[in-house]
Amino acid sequence: MQHPPDFTKGNTITDWWPDKLNLAVLSQNAQLVNPMGVNYDYRDAFKRLDYDAVKRDLYVLMTDSQPWWPADYGHYGPFFIRMAWHSAGTYRIGDGRGGAKDGTQRFPPLNSWPDNVNLDKARRLLWPIKQKYGRRLSWADLMIFAGTFALESMGMKPIGVAGGREDVWEPQLDVFWGAEKTWLTDTLRYGAVAEAEKSAASADNAASASPGAAPDDVANRNALDNPLAATEMGLIYVNPEGPDRQPIPAKSAMDVRITFRRMGMTDEETVALVAGGHTFGKTHGAASPSHLGPEPQGAPIQEQGLGWKNNFGTGNADDTIGSGLEGAWKANPTTWDMGYLTTMFKYEYELTTSPAGAYIWLAKDVEPQDMVQDAHVPGKWHRPMMSTADLGLKFDPVFEKIARHYLAHPQEFHDAFARAWFKLTHRDFGPPSLYLGPDVPTETFLWQDPIPVNKNYTLYNRDVDELKKAVRESGLTVGEMVRTAWASASTFRGSDKRGGANGGRIRLKPQINWEVNQPDRLKPILQKYEIIRAAFHQRGIRVSMADLIILGGAVGIETAAHQAGATLHVPFAPGRMDASQAETDIEGMAVLEPRYDGFRNYLQQDFAVQPEDLLVDKAQLLNLTPPEMTVLLGGLRVLGNNYDDSPHGVFTDRPGQLTPDFFTHLLDMDTEWKPTVDKNRFNGICRATGAQKWTATRVDLIFGFDAQLRAVCEVYAAADGRHKFLHDFVIAWNKVMNADRFDLLN
């Protein structure tokens, strides 16, 4: 009898060299993994979707309880609200990553986070609808539609919803969710001082503290590391039992405030979301979590992607185990009303534990009309429940004032929740120009970074030629033109489609004062552009500053190529508009300020990761591939794009000319590199004479060190690489300059 080969798992490259630069994030979501094919256009497919039929099907599903996963109170609405909320709620403003825009809740780690327990069943309930509409309806859109129409089906009128989110087909490789290796821990996401304070805190003292007390010996929750938003690994927001399971509502409110702000929400929006969301449904903690099997990613193959198999009782309905908390917040959990806030402020609460052992607070001396009917057993009633995090709205003085105001003004509460829900589910989606569907709101919000609509603003070819001539004769240098265009356009983040050159916000606060933009040098450059713009306006030729800055970059590149003996044309697509200061959310825009930009050799501070990793992070936000990152950086070095005119990485004797000199000199074996006392600085020494030739940073030298990047550099450093370098540089440059031109999609 033959036995199959004894295969053993071999070590991967990462196993051998764990510090190897990870370039995989620059190649994710490639066409090779997309089953739709290169010609598939989801926006076009969505426009052919029978939207009203989808809505009707979702309404029917809400009360079509399935025996394999019965609906609480006979209505799936609360379940779908939680699914949509947890899909959108991973968004954080620090780097724009996470969110609902691409359906990543289907993939690990999100599909297996403890906070997403049992949401695998919600998506399976939606599968018949997804199957029916196929490629015309993405999972990303369907999850948000399900949550929004669930609200509507239970009496809450949303302000609208938009489609157009295109699914990805592999897990997110670019999102750093935290360094912890264990679920529901926070040991590595707070600053060292905060961790020391937290370790000194006494859980026993915390558990016995009054609801309104926040002990002095607890961690400074503001020390949560950026860009993280959730307070523990595997959570969307906060631990509902309280920080580190310390049931102190006032302290929990600190976590709630920080994490919601990290997701772009004000205190008013935070209260509206919590109170509105918890108007519906219940929590699940029928028994100890020990009855649950592994999460979907760790479950055996026969479970077919389902996880958390429950061997307690029936495994569902009244025997469901989820967060561990057990109970509903108010009577009538499938009806929009003021019950959550009314119940919260009407009763005192006593601390107890659920059957799963989780801390919960039960209302005392509850009147009959406020008792909650059991979700599955007729005639069975329960006292309303609040989590520690819920009671934070009652014991935090700022939250309490807002909550009581909403309680006294129900219509304001409705409007606030509707707006906050729309923001929650669309903040990561990008500008309104990407929104599709008949329920798109007509109102524009400041958090959408509004840009005036282009009304008959057109630049003809002859206008562009005259403008380019004026820029060339303005006295601006190649470096000034290129540097300003890069500073304007490279704010773009593909993660949430914020930033970019459209709007011309580089001339407004806060961008005009950002350190990386060197305000003292930027302002005179913008003044020269303003003079050109005003002169053309007097001639009846309208041009926006946003367009003029990008056109100036094109002029700089063409000039630099000409000075190097090459003829080069940089394409230019006019149509950008100028936003006003009033149309700019200064606080919201501040999160886009670069703390690092390897393309400018700029590093504001030391980070826990190496500068080359930060370069890749920046390139990924710009949607660049490894070759595009490489050719852009090499070209920008010789063009004078470095912060503060730093000489690091400027491997050329002819700066200001567009040449492949960066690559030829980086790969030149006549140069030996020596470290300096600054761990990020290196000197290039001539092997023959010992004389210093160049200086460099880690970001520069990584292109000669990393085997994959070195292979790309060799293409441009080869004797026949000059033409390809110029061609590829222009394509990569234009990709960044037009990254936010969503108006060109339609």
Side-chain angles (χ1 to χ4, degrees):
M1 177 180 178
Q2 284 189 323
H3 296 280
D6 182 20
F7 291 111
T8 58
K9 182 180 179 182
N11 289 330
T12 66
I13 294 174
T14 305
D15 293 327
W16 283 108
W17 298 284
D19 294 330
K20 181 189 180 300
L21 187 65
N22 179 14
L23 296 174
V25 296
L26 302 185
S27 305
Q28 64 182 338
N29 303 318
Q31 285 296 332
L32 291 175
V33 301
N34 189 337
M36 296 301 189
V38 296
N39 296 321
Y40 173 70
D41 183 342
Y42 178 62
R43 293 178 63 80
D44 179 67
F46 182 89
K47 292 173 183 177
R48 292 183 279 109
L49 174 71
D50 189 339
Y51 180 86
D52 290 336
V54 172
K55 196 170 184 177
R56 288 193 299 270
D57 288 345
L58 283 169
Y59 262 79
V60 171
L61 176 60
M62 296 297 166
T63 54
D64 186 16
S65 184
Q66 300 296 308
W68 62 270
W69 195 260
D72 293 337
Y73 313 104
H75 203 299
Y76 286 122
F79 198 24
F80 291 149
I81 289 171
R82 176 171 167 251
M83 175 196 63
W85 190 317
H86 283 219
S87 178
T90 56
Y91 173 77
R92 70 259 185 123
I93 59 175
D95 59 5
R97 294 189 169 104
K101 61 184 172 293
D102 48 18
T104 48
Q105 195 185 81
R106 296 137 60 217
F107 301 117
L110 303 185
N111 71 346
S112 296
W113 271 5
D115 216 7
N116 286 337
V117 58
N118 294 326
L119 288 181
D120 50 347
K121 286 79 173 178
R123 294 189 297 276
R124 294 296 173 92
L125 288 167
L126 288 175
W127 165 239
I129 294 178
K130 176 67 177 84
Q131 184 179 37
K132 177 178 178 179
Y133 295 100
R135 65 182 62 193
R136 289 166 292 168
L137 179 62
S138 68
W139 272 110
D141 275 344
L142 179 56
M143 285 189 276
I144 297 303
F145 288 169
T148 302
F149 297 149
L151 291 170
E152 194 171 73
S153 73
M154 293 185 290
M156 189 272 148
K157 180 61 177 175
I159 64 170
V161 66
R165 303 167 184 82
E166 185 171 0
D167 288 334
V168 294
W169 299 95
E170 60 181 323
Q172 291 175 319
L173 303 175
D174 56 319
V175 181
F176 173 69
W177 298 116
E180 293 88 355
K181 302 298 183 183
T182 304
W183 296 125
L184 304 181
T185 56
D186 63 357
T187 55
L188 299 175
R189 60 186 55 217
Y190 289 94
V193 174
E195 287 295 346
E197 293 175 357
K198 185 154 61 70
S199 297
S202 168
D204 292 336
N205 291 340
S208 62
S210 64
D216 294 331
D217 60 345
V218 297
N220 176 7
R221 310 305 285 183
N222 284 289
L224 180 65
D225 289 338
N226 267 312
L228 300 177
T231 60
E232 295 182 14
M233 173 60 77
L235 291 181
I236 304 297
Y237 293 104
V238 304
N239 190 325
E241 297 183 70
D244 301 314
R245 293 194 73 240
Q246 299 176 61
I248 308 173
K251 182 185 174 187
S252 183
M254 297 166 60
D255 270 9
V256 171
R257 175 171 287 111
I258 290 299
T259 195
F260 272 79
R261 284 182 178 176
R262 293 284 179 92
M263 296 173 181
M265 298 296 171
T266 65
D267 283 352
E268 290 77 11
E269 290 166 334
T270 299
V271 174
L273 280 172
V274 173
H278 291 177
T279 294
F280 305 107
K282 68 181 294 290
T283 59
H284 301 86
S288 168
S290 63
H291 289 280
L292 294 181
E295 68 281 355
Q297 204 60 28
I301 194 171
Q302 65 268 22
E303 297 302 327
Q304 291 292 280
L306 289 177
W308 301 291
K309 189 171 184 179
N310 182 0
N311 64 19
F312 177 73
T314 63
N316 55 38
D318 257 20
D319 295 329
T320 300
I321 302 171
S323 65
L325 283 69
E326 175 60 37
W329 295 272
K330 68 174 190 66
N332 305 314
T334 59
T335 301
W336 172 261
D337 56 27
M338 297 301 296
Y340 175 88
L341 291 174
T342 298
T343 305
M344 173 179 285
F345 289 108
K346 183 176 181 179
Y347 295 107
E348 297 298 319
Y349 287 82
E350 59 181 341
L351 180 63
T352 184
T353 56
S354 73
Y359 287 124
I360 58 174
W361 300 75
L362 293 179
K364 297 192 293 186
D365 303 322
V366 182
E367 296 178 6
Q369 68 270 21
D370 295 322
M371 292 291 285
V372 184
Q373 184 173 344
D374 190 84
H376 298 276
V377 181
K380 187 177 181 181
W381 298 84
H382 305 275
R383 287 190 284 167
M385 176 275 312
M386 292 283 169
S387 71
T388 300
D390 286 304
L391 289 181
L393 303 188
K394 186 174 183 178
F395 291 99
D396 177 272
V398 176
F399 284 157
E400 182 205 13
K401 182 178 179 180
I402 297 168
R404 287 191 182 276
H405 179 84
Y406 286 152
L407 178 60
H409 300 86
Q411 189 58 49
E412 282 192 40
F413 174 51
H414 176 280
D415 293 344
F417 176 71
R419 288 171 174 268
W421 175 265
F422 184 80
K423 183 177 180 179
L424 170 73
T425 52
H426 293 76
R427 182 68 191 262
D428 68 311
F429 191 5
S433 60
L434 296 178
Y435 295 0
L436 297 176
D439 287 332
V440 173
T442 57
E443 183 179 357
T444 300
F445 306 99
L446 190 62
W447 55 264
Q448 294 172 320
D449 301 332
I451 297 172
V453 177
N454 186 343
K455 296 181 178 179
N456 302 319
Y457 162 45
T458 303
L459 284 177
Y460 298 101
N461 289 339
R462 64 177 182 274
D463 300 329
V464 173
D465 290 340
E466 290 188 37
L467 283 165
K468 291 171 76 171
K469 182 175 183 294
V471 172
R472 281 195 297 269
E473 296 174 352
S474 67
L476 292 170
T477 67
V478 166
E480 288 173 331
M481 290 184 277
V482 170
R483 188 167 61 243
T484 305
W486 180 265
S488 179
S490 65
T491 55
F492 178 76
R493 304 193 306 195
S495 54
D496 57 1
K497 299 178 176 62
R498 296 190 68 201
N502 201 1
R505 287 189 167 89
I506 191 175
R507 68 195 213 289
L508 305 173
K509 297 177 182 177
Q511 290 191 31
I512 197 170
N513 294 321
W514 286 350
E515 178 186 275
V516 68
N517 290 341
Q518 302 173 83
D520 291 342
R521 302 177 67 178
L522 172 63
K523 292 174 184 178
I525 296 171
L526 295 178
Q527 288 172 0
K528 290 186 177 182
Y529 280 130
E530 285 283 9
I531 292 172
I532 295 172
R533 177 174 176 267
F536 274 79
H537 276 213
Q538 289 180 350
R539 295 170 49 190
I541 301 174
R542 293 179 57 228
V543 58
S544 67
M545 279 289 286
D547 265 349
L548 192 52
I549 289 168
I550 300 305
L551 183 62
V555 171
I557 292 170
E558 291 176 354
T559 301
H562 177 74
Q563 292 175 353
T567 300
L568 194 64
H569 172 69
V570 179
F572 171 71
R576 299 168 184 84
M577 302 298 291
D578 291 334
S580 68
Q581 191 68 69
E583 293 168 318
T584 301
D585 178 2
I586 295 178
E587 183 179 356
M589 187 62 62
V591 299
L592 272 66
E593 180 177 0
R595 307 296 179 184
Y596 50 87
D597 183 356
F599 295 98
R600 289 185 264 190
N601 238 333
Y602 174 75
L603 189 66
Q604 188 183 76
Q605 64 189 66
D606 287 334
F607 290 85
V609 297
Q610 295 287 13
E612 58 267 30
D613 296 303
L614 299 175
L615 170 69
V616 172
D617 180 80
K618 176 72 173 178
Q620 195 278 331
L621 288 173
L622 289 171
N623 293 333
L624 298 174
T625 65
E628 289 169 341
M629 177 184 73
T630 302
V631 74
L632 261 180
L633 185 135
L636 290 172
R637 285 291 187 270
V638 300
L639 288 176
N641 196 55
N642 273 359
Y643 170 75
D644 206 22
D645 290 332
S646 162
H648 306 312
V650 185
F651 305 149
T652 183
D653 296 322
R654 40 184 178 168
Q657 298 183 24
L658 187 56
T659 66
D661 285 0
F662 174 87
F663 305 107
T664 55
H665 289 131
L666 177 67
L667 304 185
D668 183 2
M669 288 305 298
D670 289 338
T671 302
E672 181 181 8
W673 291 98
K674 301 281 191 179
T676 68
V677 292
D678 184 338
K679 62 182 180 180
N680 190 40
R681 299 287 185 265
F682 301 82
N683 292 328
I685 309 299
C686 177
R687 293 182 188 272
T689 66
Q692 179 172 311
K693 298 171 63 177
W694 319 109
T695 62
T697 66
R698 289 187 63 91
V699 167
D700 301 310
L701 295 192
I702 194 64
F703 288 89
F705 171 79
D706 182 83
Q708 186 175 346
L709 293 179
R710 187 179 183 92
V712 178
C713 292
E714 289 171 351
V715 173
Y716 301 125
D720 62 351
R722 181 189 182 205
H723 176 75
K724 182 165 179 58
F725 163 73
L726 294 173
H727 173 269
D728 291 358
F729 179 84
V730 169
I731 291 177
W733 170 269
N734 236 37
K735 183 175 183 178
V736 174
M737 297 301 110
N738 292 323
D740 65 337
R741 292 300 304 277
F742 307 113
D743 55 309
L744 301 178
L745 295 176
N746 298 318

